[in-house]
Amino acid sequence: FPYRTLFRSGWRALEELHDRAEFRAVPIIVVSVRDNDGSALARGASAFLQKPLKRDVLLHTLRQHLK
């Protein structure tokens, strides 16, 4: 089930995941229609991608973080 359902917001979910030791090594890629103002990375995201996604950008980001 999605983590978002466990928290009040996606930002809170991101912070909670980043704070838990068992998830620190798991890359979290935020995808949003909104502009990136640095909030995702400041809260512990590994990367931020803006919708609409380009396939090559998504694949490059996934490869970069799943090495």
Side-chain angles (χ1 to χ4, degrees):
F1 57 94
Y3 261 94
R4 186 175 177 104
T5 61
L6 299 177
F7 304 95
R8 292 184 177 196
S9 75
W11 292 133
R12 182 71 182 135
L14 180 59
E15 291 167 354
E16 289 282 330
L17 288 171
H18 183 51
D19 290 343
R20 294 179 63 173
E22 65 267 31
F23 291 109
R24 284 198 192 119
V26 176
I28 299 172
I29 300 170
V30 173
V31 179
S32 177
V33 69
R34 295 183 182 179
D35 239 352
N36 181 20
D37 61 1
S39 296
L41 299 177
R43 288 181 166 96
S46 304
F48 176 89
L49 299 175
Q50 188 172 3
K51 293 178 183 179
L53 292 176
K54 292 186 178 183
R55 184 173 187 238
D56 59 330
V57 173
L58 175 61
L59 292 175
H60 172 76
T61 303
L62 291 171
R63 284 186 193 110
Q64 185 179 20
H65 291 284
L66 296 176
K67 289 181 180 181

